Amino acid sequence: MTQHTDVVVVGGGQAGLAAGYHLRRQGLDFVILDAEAAPGGSWQHMWDSLHLFSPAEHSSLPGRLMPAQPGETYPGAGHVVDYLADYEKRYDLPVQRGTRVDAVRRDADRLLVEADSGIWRARAVISATGSWSRPFLPAVPGRSVFTGRHLHTVNYRCPADFAGQHVIVVGGGNSGAQIAADLALDGHVEVTWVTQRPPRFLPDDIDGRALFDVATARRRALDAGRSDTGGVASLGDIVAVPPVRAARDAGLLQAKPMFARFTADGVQWADGSHTGADAVVWCTGFRPALSHLAPLNLRGARGHIPTDGTRALGEPRLHLIGYGDWTGPASATLIGVGRPARDAVREIAGLL
Ligand SMILES: Cc1cc2nc3c(=O)[nH]c(=O)nc-3n(C[C@H](O)[C@H](O)[C@H](O)COP(=O)(O)OP(=O)(O)OC[C@H]3O[C@@H](n4cnc5c(N)ncnc54)[C@H](O)[C@@H]3O)c2cc1C
């Protein structure tokens, strides 16, 4: 059966909910289609010890401050899930769960949104599908000959799964540092941390609050035609959240440069030496989950869709939020997604 609505939001994580908040305020008819069975987007799937890199009040969506988590300066992922579940209830957001969108197509004066449970004809679409469903693994010689376990950030849960084992953690970003710290601090896992370039820790007094300010200042400078400040990347890559700081200060976070190749039972380094390993955790990032937009033929360089703000250059009825800075400064953060969501909905309201 085909249903009709003003706007379909694809994805019901934080970005989709922020869009829903603004669509409600504009009085537009809309539906949020989300592949998950439960609220919370990818926060439901984070590893057990993950905590935000900003305090609760600096991790809020529009309209409703995230309450503090008792006893925690930096809330855990479960607290974020509870907040998002409460948020969609509070604003009565029409989220249809267990619904995966396979394709968005042009159909005369409408966009046709094809999902596994039906078809929607919409006047505009907001894509907010995140990147969690597209983990990225780099090509490394011999990867398939390694007989140990390969995991990505998305599959990692807790150190107990590796008790007594040697684990190689690959990646010099926040996930790599945090997972290496999680395993190393446990004391029952031998950890080798591998990064492509020497790890760059941010100063200890910088957390997500400052990062948001830096990202916003960079965008303002670029918009005003001033020179690029370099943004967050100019400061470092790794937020020194408490466990990372503890592991670093205990000397447990000594990174090695990338190994040359896998062997059947471990890895071989550039100097020919060998380290045995039981598992490798790839903390090597994600790509935006955009396959449902393929029929629109909008892909540009690096797999992104070229945008002006949040609006797709090749399809003015399509907006993208979340994903990364290319859809707005700090668009892929809790506190940062509110502004692009507001801008997208304003433009859509103007269009309709
Ligand atoms: C390890 C890690 C730690 C992070 N820590 C922080 C932090 O401390 N603070 C912060 O602000 N940000 C943090 N982020 C960044 C960001 O806030 C999260 O990645 C956040 O989950 C992004 O929200 P989203 O709504 O864009 O995507 P998601 O949470 O991934 O939500 C997307 C939703 O879309 C659904 N979906 C996907 N494809 C389809 C489809 N075809 N049809 C229907 N539904 C679909 C998914 O099932 C999901 O429910 C972190 C990210 C990671 C990976």
Side-chain angles (χ1 to χ4, degrees):
M1 196 182 71
T2 302
Q3 304 181 56
H4 298 256
T5 187
D6 287 336
V7 184
V8 171
V9 180
V10 187
Q14 66 199 35
L17 299 190
Y21 170 87
H22 286 292
L23 287 163
R24 214 2 127 239
R25 281 174 65 113
Q26 285 283 351
L28 292 171
D29 186 49
F30 69 102
V31 63
I32 300 174
L33 306 178
D34 187 39
E36 294 288 338
S42 57
W43 293 105
Q44 301 168 74
H45 307 296
M46 299 282 180
W47 63 92
D48 295 357
S49 69
L50 180 107
H51 283 69
L52 294 184
F53 51 62
S54 310
E57 69 273 19
H58 292 275
S59 305
S60 303
L61 296 183
R64 165 114 175 103
L65 264 190
M66 182 187 287
Q69 181 177 9
E72 303 279 1
T73 306
Y74 299 99
H79 187 72
V80 182
V81 172
D82 292 346
Y83 168 72
L84 295 178
D86 174 71
Y87 188 91
E88 65 182 63
K89 222 190 278 170
R90 180 174 293 261
Y91 295 111
D92 193 21
L93 301 179
V95 187
Q96 186 164 319
R97 287 247 140 66
T99 303
R100 173 166 294 280
V101 171
D102 300 316
V104 178
R105 302 179 196 281
R106 295 184 185 91
D107 183 38
D109 60 342
R110 293 288 186 268
L111 289 172
L112 212 56
V113 180
E114 298 173 1
D116 48 9
S117 62
I119 295 177
W120 278 260
R121 278 174 66 80
R123 300 167 75 194
V125 168
I126 296 177
S127 188
T129 46
S131 53
W132 187 258
S133 58
R134 281 200 64 209
F136 172 75
L137 271 78
V140 176
R143 199 168 78 188
S144 58
V145 304
F146 180 58
T147 54
R149 274 197 289 165
H150 283 285
L151 295 94
H152 186 271
T153 309
V154 299
N155 316 113
Y156 175 73
R157 292 262 64 84
C158 63
D161 293 340
F162 304 93
Q165 298 186 4
H166 189 152
V167 180
I168 294 185
V169 178
V170 184
N174 284 301
S175 303
Q178 288 184 32
I179 289 176
D182 196 37
L183 289 165
L185 289 169
D186 178 73
H188 298 98
V189 185
E190 196 179 341
V191 185
T192 300
W193 184 31
V194 175
T195 60
Q196 216 152 28
R197 59 179 181 181
R200 299 189 311 149
F201 293 95
L202 287 150
D204 286 3
D205 58 345
I206 289 199
D207 64 12
R209 285 171 285 200
L211 294 183
F212 177 67
D213 293 343
V214 171
T216 307
R218 177 183 188 224
R219 172 51 54 197
R220 288 209 182 111
L222 291 176
D223 287 350
R226 294 196 298 272
S227 56
D228 191 348
T229 58
V232 172
S234 66
L235 297 177
D237 301 317
I238 300 166
V239 182
V241 291
V244 166
R245 215 178 299 164
R248 182 201 62 195
D249 293 350
L252 299 172
L253 282 186
Q254 308 286 349
K256 294 184 75 157
M258 191 63 189
F259 46 86
R261 62 180 60 256
F262 279 103
T263 63
D265 59 354
V267 297
Q268 190 176 35
W269 306 96
D271 66 1
S273 61
H274 182 265
T275 298
D278 302 288
V280 178
V281 185
W282 295 96
C283 302
T284 41
F286 299 86
R287 297 291 180 261
L290 300 173
S291 61
H292 56 295
L293 302 176
L296 299 173
N297 272 325
L298 299 170
R299 283 264 178 144
R302 297 169 57 224
H304 294 180
I305 290 179
T307 54
D308 178 6
T310 59
R311 177 174 34 83
L313 282 182
E315 175 48 78
R317 296 166 294 182
L318 173 70
H319 286 254
L320 296 102
I321 53 175
Y323 302 115
D325 283 351
W326 56 285
T327 58
S331 185
T333 64
L334 283 153
I335 194 170
V337 75
R339 184 178 288 250
R342 183 199 64 192
D343 294 348
V345 171
R346 269 193 194 155
E347 273 200 49
I348 288 172
L351 181 81
L352 303 187

